[in-house]
């Protein structure tokens, strides 16, 4: 879904460039509080993880396969700000190093795939967590639903861009209907994989899941030699 | 997604474009792409001239045109989208080879194919002639936030490691007879994603600690002088200037 150059006209691309730059600036500021600059290697490896996970093919039906977009997965695992920042870096590197996605469309792509998926998806995840009981299965379910919704939101965001400055010749409603239809299907796959991946991380390193930090037991101080109250 | 490793596009034989300052090349590339997007789609001749311009720069940089063409495959998904437009576009319709196609849809498809291809080709020329470290360095010189370039630097450095890890996970699954065909059989694939995250995160922690132990304080030392000489700026800006001139001519005189 990387938009190439020339797909959306120049004023719209430039406008979204400003939106993406502003969003990135907020992410940079927020992550500076969250993890100090010295932990940059860690963020770099998260970005490398996102890049790699987008190469992971999963089966869809009858032997066809899709690949993961990873927006909500990243947001749930490392938080929306760092997640959006890392996905933006991935998009930047993809457009510069692999010519994947147009440079003039970088703002459009960052808005759709980093900002909308990470923040839209995380907002859904957060709301669902508020409603659902505070258990691990509800973290997994919330991540899955958020992943489905985020993919559809990204398709809608693309449709808005197309309506504003599309050069396609087809009407925005036609494009919107086709995009949302296709992306509901993609989103179902994304939802299943995201939920299962979050549950896999929760099973072995629950402390690494940003979206489930509230489920971590408080550290308790015990005098030396006293046995644990509950095993 | 693109090829499995970072240097997929970089050409190691040094050409005339290799020694130019990366920040000048980046600015030139962005301006060139903007000029291409601003060119009116009705001016067929302009796209011909722009294509010759890109090909000329590629040849001057010692890149083979076949290599350049091979890389254009990356935009295939959007070309499929472009092919679809003449069939779903609104009227008026024209009949081409017995098919009733939407005229605005045909214009839209042409517009995407022409501009998208020129954009990819120009990006490939720069990516083929600039090492990754220099690209990142150029971005830093252009005042991109240091956190962003630093994250990108680490990402690029560990990309091969992470994708290699993913490949080993996939081989491990397959050698145990894993051949899923339906989405409800995908648990092992998802578990691989989870495992990959944990391994990447833990590697990140180890790398960070190892760097701290060697005196890392949040900044990496720069080893080379980074100012771009005026000659480089002149060479790199000549290309977008020509493209802008073509776009202006296409809008005004030669419409």
């Amino acid at each position: 879904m990387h938009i190439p150059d020339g797909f959306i006209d120049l004023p719209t691309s430039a406008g979204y460039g400003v939106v993406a730059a502003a969003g990135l600036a907020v992410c940079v500021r927020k992550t500076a509080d969250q993890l100090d600059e010295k932990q940059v290697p860690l963020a770099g490896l998260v970005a490398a993880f996102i890049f790699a996970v987008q190469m992971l093919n999963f089966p869809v039906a009858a032997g066809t396969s899709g690949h993961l977009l990873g927006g909500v997965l990243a947001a749930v695992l490392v938080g929306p700000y760092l997640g959006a920042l890392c996905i933006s870096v991935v998009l930047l590197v993809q457009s510069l190093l692999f010519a994947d996605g147009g440079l003039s469309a970088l703002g459009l792509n960052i808005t759709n795939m980093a900002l909308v998926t990470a923040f839209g998806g995380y907002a859904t995840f957060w709301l669902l967590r508020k409603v659902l009981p505070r258990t691990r299965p509800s973290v997994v379910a919330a991540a899955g639903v958020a992943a489905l919704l985020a993919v559809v939101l990204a398709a809608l965001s693309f449709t808005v861009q197309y309506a504003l400055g599309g050069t396609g010749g087809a009407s925005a409603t036609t494009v919107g209907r086709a995009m949302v239809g296709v992306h509901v299907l993609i989103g179902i796959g994304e939802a299943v994989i995201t939920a299962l991946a979050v549950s896999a991380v929760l099973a072995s390193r629950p402390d690494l899941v940003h979206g489930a930090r509230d489920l971590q037991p408080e550290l308790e101080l015990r005098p030396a030699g006293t046995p644990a109250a509950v095993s | 997604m693109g090829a499995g490793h970072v240097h997929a596009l970089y050409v190691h034989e040094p050409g005339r474009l290799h020694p130019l300052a990366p920040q000048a090349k980046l600015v030139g590339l962005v301006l060139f792409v903007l000029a291409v997007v601003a060119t009116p789609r009705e001016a067929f001749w302009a796209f011909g001239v722009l294509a010759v311009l890109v090909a000329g720069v590629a040849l001057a940089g010692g890149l083979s045109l076949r290599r350049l063409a091979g890389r254009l495959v990356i935009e295939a998904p959007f070309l499929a989208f472009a092919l679809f437009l003449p069939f779903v576009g609104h009227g008026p319709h024209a009949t081409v080879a017995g098919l009733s196609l939407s005229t605005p849809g045909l214009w839209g498809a042409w517009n995407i194919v022409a501009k998208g291809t020129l954009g990819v080709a120009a990006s490939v020329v720069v990516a083929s002639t600039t090492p990754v470290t220099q690209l990142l360095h150029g971005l830093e010189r252009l005042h991109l936030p240091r956190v962003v370039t630093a994250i990108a630097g680490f990402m690029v450095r560990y990309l091969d490691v992470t994708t290699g890890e993913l490949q080993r996970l996939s081989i491990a699954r397959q050698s145990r007879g894993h051949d899923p065909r339906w989405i409800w059989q995908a648990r092992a694939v998802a578990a691989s994603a989870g495992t990959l995250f944990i391994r990447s995160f833990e590697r990140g922690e180890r790398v960070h600690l190892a760097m701290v132990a060697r005196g890392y304080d949040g900044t990496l030392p720069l080893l080379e002088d980074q100012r771009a000489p005026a000659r480089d700026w002149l060479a790199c800006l000549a290309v977008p200037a020509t493209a802008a001139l073509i776009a202006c001519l296409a809008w005004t005189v030669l419409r």
Side-chain angles (χ1 to χ4, degrees):
Chain A
M1 221 168 73
H2 292 51
I3 303 173
D5 292 308
F7 196 85
I8 305 287
D9 68 11
L10 208 50
T12 314
S13 303
Y16 272 96
V18 174
V19 170
L24 265 186
V26 171
C27 290
V28 166
R29 184 153 308 163
K30 284 284 181 181
T31 46
D33 305 341
Q34 184 192 337
L35 93 171
D36 61 291
E37 213 170 307
K38 294 178 182 176
Q39 289 195 352
V40 160
L42 211 140
L45 269 140
V46 172
F49 159 74
I50 295 168
F51 185 94
V53 99
Q54 290 186 344
M55 292 167 45
L56 189 69
N57 281 309
F58 58 81
V60 180
T64 56
S65 67
H67 77 81
L68 201 63
L69 303 172
V72 170
L73 183 59
V76 170
L77 289 177
V78 298
Y81 294 107
L82 186 57
L85 188 61
C86 290
I87 301 167
S88 305
V89 169
V90 170
L91 291 169
L92 175 74
V93 170
Q94 280 171 340
S95 91
L96 277 179
L97 251 54
F98 299 97
D100 196 3
L103 262 184
S104 71
L106 192 58
L108 304 163
N109 283 324
I110 286 182
T111 306
N112 292 347
M113 286 189 273
L115 302 180
V116 169
T117 49
F119 290 108
Y122 198 80
T124 317
F125 173 78
W126 188 81
L127 282 174
L128 286 171
R129 286 283 333 266
K130 291 269 154 201
V131 179
L132 294 170
R134 282 184 38 158
T135 57
R136 279 190 194 174
S138 59
V139 172
V140 173
V145 175
L148 168 61
L149 203 82
V151 173
V152 176
L153 280 178
L156 280 175
S157 164
F158 169 80
T159 310
V160 171
Q161 292 166 354
Y162 183 85
L164 286 174
T167 57
S171 72
T173 35
T174 315
V175 170
R177 212 170 292 151
M179 283 298 282
V180 171
V182 169
H183 282 85
V184 166
L185 293 180
I186 296 176
I188 292 171
E190 179 91 5
V192 172
I193 301 293
T194 302
L196 290 173
V198 168
S199 101
V201 180
L202 275 175
S204 50
R205 284 289 301 269
D207 56 313
L208 294 189
V209 181
H210 182 274
R213 279 174 313 169
D214 54 328
L215 299 182
Q216 283 296 108
E218 291 273 325
L219 287 179
E220 47 182 301
L221 289 176
R222 278 192 214 127
T226 43
V230 195
S231 66
Chain B
M1 276 315 96
H5 72 114
V6 171
H7 310 293
L9 281 182
Y10 184 64
V11 177
H12 285 276
E13 306 133 33
R16 255 177 286 178
L17 297 179
H18 284 67
L20 294 177
Q23 60 265 43
K25 278 193 264 191
L26 282 169
V27 171
L29 173 62
V30 171
L31 292 178
F32 175 80
V33 169
L34 292 180
V36 167
V37 176
T39 308
R41 58 190 182 180
E42 291 82 6
F44 291 109
W45 66 269
F47 292 102
V49 179
L50 288 169
V52 171
L53 185 63
V54 174
V57 173
L59 289 176
L63 302 173
S64 79
L65 292 184
R66 184 187 296 177
R67 222 191 146 86
L68 194 61
R71 250 342 262 189
L72 298 181
V73 178
I74 195 87
E75 53 160 3
F78 258 86
L79 290 190
F81 188 94
L83 282 181
F84 168 75
L85 282 172
F87 296 98
V88 298
H90 46 75
H93 287 253
T95 310
V96 182
L99 290 168
S100 171
L101 300 175
S102 144
T103 318
L106 281 173
W107 276 117
W110 152 250
N111 187 53
I112 293 165
V113 172
K115 293 179 180 175
T117 309
L118 283 170
V120 173
S123 303
V124 170
V125 170
V126 171
S128 306
T129 56
T130 321
V132 179
T133 45
Q134 279 201 29
L135 266 180
L136 295 172
H137 188 65
L139 288 174
E140 203 164 304
R141 290 287 299 179
L142 296 172
H143 300 291
L144 211 72
R146 260 229 9 255
V147 188
V148 174
T149 53
I151 293 178
F154 279 101
M155 174 198 160
V156 163
R157 198 166 300 164
Y158 285 96
L159 213 48
D160 284 346
V161 177
T162 317
T163 50
E165 193 108 64
L166 189 74
Q167 235 142 28
R168 287 194 295 281
L169 283 166
S170 141
I171 290 170
R173 282 199 313 273
Q174 281 165 27
S175 59
R176 285 158 180 77
H178 188 245
D179 180 25
R181 299 183 59 77
W182 303 90
I183 182 73
W184 52 87
Q185 298 171 326
R187 175 171 275 280
V189 178
S192 299
T195 308
L196 186 69
F197 173 73
I198 294 169
R199 289 187 187 170
S200 303
F201 201 95
E202 288 176 345
R203 191 186 301 276
E205 286 172 334
R206 287 198 303 277
V207 168
H208 176 225
L209 290 177
M211 289 176 71
V212 169
R214 287 157 180 80
Y216 176 64
D217 62 352
T219 52
L220 288 174
L222 287 174
L223 297 178
E224 48 196 302
D225 180 35
Q226 40 328 45
R227 280 199 81 81
R231 194 165 37 86
D232 287 13
W233 281 109
L234 212 63
C236 291
L237 292 181
V239 181
T242 316
L245 184 71
I246 293 168
C248 287
L249 282 177
W251 273 112
T252 53
V253 198
L254 296 167
R255 188 123 199 218

